Amino acid sequence: MKLNPQLEHLPVYHGGRPLEEVARELGLPAAELIKLASNENPLGPSAKAITAMREAAARVNLYPDGNAFYLRKGVAEKLGVTPANLIFGNGSNEIIEFVSRALLGPNTNIVVSQYCFAIYPIAAHLAGADCISVPAKDFGHDLAAMAEAITTETRIVFVANPNNPTGTRASNEAVMDLVNGIPDDVLLVMDEAYFEFIDDAPDLLPLISEKQNLILMRTFSKIHGLAGLRVGYGIGHPDFIAALEKIRQPFNLNAIAQAAALAALEDDEHVRATRENNTEGLKFFENAFAEMNIETVPSYANFILAKVGDGKAMFEKLQQRGIITRAMGGYGLADWIRISIGTPLENGRCLAALADLR
Ligand SMILES: *Cc1c(COP(=O)(O)O)cnc(C)c1O
């Protein structure tokens, strides 16, 4: 067979290790392990979403609504946009694929920041495009330098704000400068997977109807606690959304996911509790690491980077004790691990193990 030549050098994305897999290896019940590796919601899914899933489960003999009518309507109303401004993906990762397929090919490039979300370069390389990586400033995106790095071949600029894996955010002023300054023929993807964890995120929704070349990405995986269902969405100009809809497979969003996401959207109390738990957990780790003289990067998301020396070794030792974190060598941060904020109990166990293992 003649495989797509891009596949030969394409790295495989390694996510956080699944609980069940580590449990099998250690010979322990999964319930005894703690997963702080994938920025999931430690409070679980909303109870309302669970009820909605049960009801939807009884009808899975039927194909899902390919247009996600009710979820689309619900999100549109919540955000004050029109249904035509929205496209749903099997996780917002699928939106990254849609925009890549719509815009990238050989002799094109994307612009990203050093320490960017790993999926952007993978999607670009698969499409045969190059990736221009702009050096980070204090671990965060240097948006002005990214704007300057744009070439005539650039088709997409990807910005996660707050960013994963660093937890950094750009100032609202820098974001607005980039949004207003980006050339009309370059798409700006603002990945807002963690925007619910900050209070004063830049409000880009009003610009969606004016700018064809701006798309916002959001997800139900983080604040809403539905990572296992895979629901994300893009918010953009109706003309651009219509182009992306041609790429989307008709039943990409399953029926249980649609029902759960709609219910989660209405559960403001669960979102509030999640934010509160996160704020407390971040403070706990920041204070504790400061006392232990462990360097951290100030985080605006639901995880924290900690400089522990040999990150891979610490990841493995913690895992031996049933605590799954993430080593950061793949991001060029070999001395660091990323810890997702858990419940107070999980955070305490993680910190105690780390203190013991240093
Ligand atoms: C977690 C995350 C996403 C969301 O991915 P899903 O496919 O929606 O689960 C998107 N972007 C970034 C930067 C993330 O960290």
Side-chain angles (χ1 to χ4, degrees), residues 231-312:
V231 190
Y233 57 100
I235 317 166
H237 190 282
D239 293 352
F240 182 51
I241 294 290
L244 297 182
E245 282 287 356
K246 295 180 183 174
I247 299 165
R248 187 178 66 79
Q249 292 293 314
F251 303 117
N252 66 324
L253 205 60
N254 73 70
I256 293 180
Q258 291 184 31
L262 182 58
L265 194 67
E266 301 307 327
D267 196 344
D268 294 335
E269 171 52 24
H270 188 255
V271 169
R272 192 203 56 74
T274 302
R275 285 175 56 125
E276 190 176 299
N277 178 74
N278 192 64
T279 306
E280 295 300 309
L282 266 180
K283 254 191 256 160
F284 170 79
F285 276 117
E286 276 166 2
N287 292 339
F289 284 141
E291 271 174 31
M292 293 161 74
N293 283 320
I294 290 179
E295 190 183 341
T296 57
V297 177
S299 173
Y300 295 88
N302 64 347
F303 53 83
I304 189 161
L305 272 186
K307 195 172 184 184
V308 292
D310 184 342
K312 186 162 180 286

Side-chain angles (χ1 to χ4, degrees), residues 38-39 89-94 96 116-120 160-165 191-194 217-222 226-227 230-233 303 338:
S38 303
N39 310 337
N90 196 259
S92 50
N93 270 292
E94 198 182 20
I96 298 171
C116 73
F117 189 43
I119 305 293
Y120 311 149
N161 192 48
N163 183 48
N164 175 17
D191 184 341
E192 300 187 323
Y194 302 98
M217 294 199 318
R218 295 187 183 171
T219 179
F220 283 88
S221 296
K222 308 287 159 58
L226 300 179
R230 318 300 306 124
V231 190
Y233 57 100
F303 53 83
R338 193 192 66 197

Side-chain angles (χ1 to χ4, degrees), residues 2 15 23 33 109 142 144 152 170 214 229 259 279 286 298 334 337 357:
K2 292 186 175 159
L33 306 187
N109 68 54
D142 183 345
T152 48
L214 172 67
L229 290 177
T279 306
E286 276 166 2
I337 59 170
L357 289 165

